[in-house]
Amino acid sequence: MKTDTVRIDTVRIAEIIQEYSELDPMEAYYRSYEVPSKTLISFSCSTEDTIAGAMTTDSRVLDVGCGDGHTLINLSNLYQEGIGIDESAYIIEKASHAAAEAAINNVQFLRESAINLPFDNHSFDFIFSERGPLGLGDETLAEATRVLKPGGRIFIETMGSYFMQEYKSPDEPPSQDTLLTTLDVERERFRRFGIEPTILMSQTSTLQFESLYDWFANHCAIERYFENSLTEQSDETFIQSFVENASDEAGRLNLTEHLIWMGGVLGQ
């Protein structure tokens, strides 16, 4: 929808930038979930339920890019031992505290890198990564398959080709995914690493904001997570362009969430 130029409260924009600039990147990411918004989705399928279906009570499980550890904590009764890794000291402390608060003893959280996993070959029965570093990265997927047992299961959730498409200019050149979708790319990566895909899913939803400033707070949270400079985000041309691309008839701002889910079994 083509919109009239909106009046931007630059003082409020500066206050939001200041607030998020002072946060740890992972704290900023989790603060994004506190910003008022509504998720509109055409169908609902739980990632956690899919992950739970791949666990057995005797399995050793690895969560790569575990964040606050909620998945391992919520599913702790389904596996024998769980390990979550993340590069953020802040988030590992948060996850460890949450596990201790819940009195869960079969999980531990470690500050480690996905490209240099501190585990022996064939150590895990199941490895998963929710919007984590296994998606679209060959170096990390190679490490994951190294520590996964033959016949073990692996699951990734990553951003698809249309993720946050409202940020793209209409004049932006086509991406390399024009002919190959992200789903195709990930399926081919799995097969190159000896993983037979068993779950393939492309899910598109909409994150809707009633207020320009709610959207901007969410935007700054994500930019801080990626450690991008927030001082550039106050550019009025950028804000106006986003509002023009993302506004619906009621003046709400809509941001596309496109996720790819891929699961498979490592060859013997």
Side-chain angles (χ1 to χ4, degrees):
M1 170 186 174
K2 187 78 173 176
T3 61
D4 296 329
T5 300
V6 296
R7 185 165 178 240
I8 299 171
D9 184 341
T10 56
V11 172
R12 191 167 178 186
I13 290 293
E15 289 173 348
I16 294 170
I17 288 174
Q18 181 65 33
E19 176 185 355
Y20 284 90
S21 295
E22 296 173 355
L23 297 178
D24 173 273
M26 285 303 300
E27 184 179 357
Y29 176 79
Y30 281 96
R31 184 79 70 86
S32 71
Y33 289 103
E34 300 173 6
V35 175
S37 65
K38 180 189 296 183
T39 298
L40 310 178
I41 190 167
S42 57
F43 66 93
S44 180
C45 185
S46 167
T47 308
E48 195 167 290
D49 287 346
T50 304
I51 290 171
M55 294 180 175
T56 61
T57 54
D58 62 350
S59 58
R60 190 172 189 233
V61 176
L62 176 65
D63 182 353
V64 181
C66 63
D68 64 0
H70 64 276
T71 301
L72 282 177
I73 291 171
N74 291 345
L75 303 179
S76 61
N77 64 318
L78 300 181
Y79 56 81
Q80 183 176 49
E81 180 188 3
I83 297 177
I85 69 156
D86 205 290
E87 292 190 4
S88 167
Y90 165 81
I91 207 64
I92 288 298
E93 181 179 352
K94 185 179 178 70
S96 298
H97 179 74
E101 285 283 299
I104 294 172
N105 301 315
N106 64 334
V107 62
Q108 60 177 316
F109 296 100
L110 307 173
R111 186 183 182 190
E112 299 288 352
S113 169
I115 63 174
N116 187 25
L117 297 174
F119 310 113
D120 294 335
N121 295 350
H122 316 314
S123 296
F124 294 92
D125 302 286
F126 177 48
I127 296 174
F128 67 94
S129 183
E130 299 173 84
R131 298 202 204 185
L134 297 188
L136 301 175
D138 280 5
E139 193 173 14
T140 54
L141 188 57
E143 267 293 89
T145 54
R146 177 184 68 79
V147 302
L148 183 63
K149 294 178 182 178
R153 296 182 178 276
I154 189 167
F155 177 93
I156 65 171
E157 179 189 74
T158 192
M159 281 78 79
S161 310
Y162 302 107
F163 193 80
M164 296 188 176
Q165 65 179 358
E166 291 79 6
Y167 286 119
K168 298 177 182 177
S169 165
D171 301 324
E172 188 173 324
S175 71
Q176 63 181 359
D177 289 338
T178 300
L179 298 179
L180 276 180
T181 67
T182 305
L183 193 64
D184 295 325
V185 171
E186 291 291 30
R187 177 166 44 199
E188 177 58 28
R189 280 206 319 135
F190 264 39
R191 287 183 170 152
R192 281 194 288 109
F193 283 94
I195 304 166
E196 184 58 33
T198 59
I199 299 172
L200 310 172
M201 187 175 296
S202 177
Q203 177 175 295
T204 304
S205 60
T206 299
L207 191 62
Q208 188 174 86
F209 302 92
E210 294 286 343
S211 159
L212 160 65
Y213 305 101
D214 289 340
W215 157 71
F216 191 71
N218 176 271
H219 172 73
C220 285
I222 301 303
E223 290 296 300
R224 179 68 187 114
Y225 168 68
F226 286 111
E227 300 188 54
N228 295 329
S229 171
L230 297 190
T231 58
E232 301 172 2
Q233 306 307 318
S234 61
D235 179 69
E236 290 191 35
T237 301
F238 159 70
I239 296 174
Q240 293 282 3
S241 175
F242 175 80
V243 171
E244 181 175 332
N245 289 340
S247 293
D248 62 15
E249 295 291 338
R252 295 168 300 213
L253 299 177
N254 298 294
L255 193 58
T256 302
E257 296 252 291
H258 182 203
L259 296 178
I260 299 301
W261 299 359
M262 182 81 66
V265 178
L266 185 65
Q268 299 287 341

